[in-house]
Amino acid sequence: MVAAAHFSTKDRILGAAEELFAQYGFAGTSLRQVTSRADVNIAAVNYHFGSKENLVNEVFRRRMDDMTAQRLGQLKAALEQHPGELEPILAAFVEPALALAQDRHGGGAFVRVIARAYAEKNDSLRQFLSDHYGHVLRDFGRAIAACVPGLSKEELYWRLDFFSGALTYAMADFGLIKRPAGVTETAHRERAARELIRFVEAGLRAGHVK
């Protein structure tokens, strides 16, 4: 019962922090706001996280650990089952991210938190993300590079940056294309993934920029 209570308290704090960070940003959210939203005292936050900085990190870890595992699992399968093919590699990167964005249990809020991470200068968070998830981008970068050997490293990195940006935009669902009436979220997500993968594959295979 004690372990269950600890999990429930920790999960409430993470959920409250995620919602508040999405709404007000990291600098604009106080621990007092988090404790009020989660209906806990400051001692609970200190016990589970130790600091606001660590709370921010754990909000990301809660979502990104699962997404990372899915991405790397799909990448491994793509390399084993479809050697030399670019599309399955791109799908391994795109599909888990879009699935997370459409998760009914806070996925939308987390996408806004990601947008905050891009918009706000938070060196500590960026270092945390680089230390814990930078290997994922490197693994995908190597796999993609093997499929487009004509690109220089600089060209590849430019295109991977644009790829990541386009994916983040698709996750946020800011674009012109909205889910049509009668189309399920799953079907809409699958269509979005197909269109994005087709677009990115064409961009990666385009000729050298002079």
Side-chain angles (χ1 to χ4, degrees), residues 55-70:
L55 173 59
V56 172
N57 294 345
E58 290 302 314
V59 165
F60 277 85
R61 190 196 299 273
R62 180 173 70 146
R63 302 288 186 186
M64 294 192 66
D65 279 1
D66 286 344
M67 183 175 70
T68 293
Q70 291 175 34

Side-chain angles (χ1 to χ4, degrees), residues 4-196:
H6 282 181
F7 175 80
S8 177
T9 300
K10 183 176 182 179
D11 198 55
R12 288 208 313 276
I13 295 169
L14 286 169
E18 184 177 75
E19 292 173 3
L20 290 165
F21 292 153
Q23 187 172 0
Y24 301 110
F26 307 114
T29 299
S30 68
L31 287 181
R32 186 176 297 277
Q33 287 174 293
V34 174
T35 58
S36 177
R37 178 72 65 92
D39 193 25
V40 300
N41 57 38
I42 193 69
V45 176
N46 290 331
Y47 172 75
H48 287 290
F49 303 102
S51 67
K52 180 180 174 181
E53 178 182 307
N54 197 48
L55 173 59
V56 172
N57 294 345
E58 290 302 314
V59 165
F60 277 85
R61 190 196 299 273
R62 180 173 70 146
R63 302 288 186 186
M64 294 192 66
D65 279 1
D66 286 344
M67 183 175 70
T68 293
Q70 291 175 34
R71 278 175 160 172
L72 294 179
Q74 286 188 224
L75 176 61
K76 183 175 184 291
L79 295 175
E80 291 176 350
Q81 299 171 18
H82 305 282
E85 294 185 28
L86 181 56
E87 183 178 332
I89 295 171
L90 299 180
F93 194 77
V94 168
E95 291 172 354
L98 292 182
L100 170 61
Q102 294 190 2
D103 186 342
R104 292 180 179 274
H105 301 290
F110 184 65
V111 172
R112 295 193 297 276
V113 172
I114 294 174
R116 291 286 187 178
Y118 279 109
E120 293 187 22
K121 182 175 174 58
N122 189 322
D123 292 337
S124 175
L125 174 59
R126 292 186 181 187
Q127 188 62 53
F128 170 82
L129 294 175
S130 176
D131 290 345
H132 289 81
Y133 306 104
H135 68 286
V136 179
L137 294 177
R138 290 190 292 271
D139 286 351
F140 274 91
R142 284 192 293 269
I144 291 170
C147 296
V148 284
L151 289 183
S152 69
K153 188 174 183 179
E154 183 181 11
E155 287 174 320
L156 175 66
Y157 282 9
W158 272 110
R159 297 178 195 198
L160 291 180
D161 273 353
F162 295 147
F163 176 23
S164 295
L167 176 57
T168 302
Y169 191 83
M171 290 171 69
D173 198 23
F174 285 148
L176 298 174
I177 304 297
K178 302 300 180 184
R179 179 164 62 90
V183 175
T184 66
E185 289 186 4
T186 298
H188 182 61
R189 182 180 74 233
E190 290 172 351
R191 174 70 184 276
R194 289 196 304 272
E195 295 294 343
L196 178 58

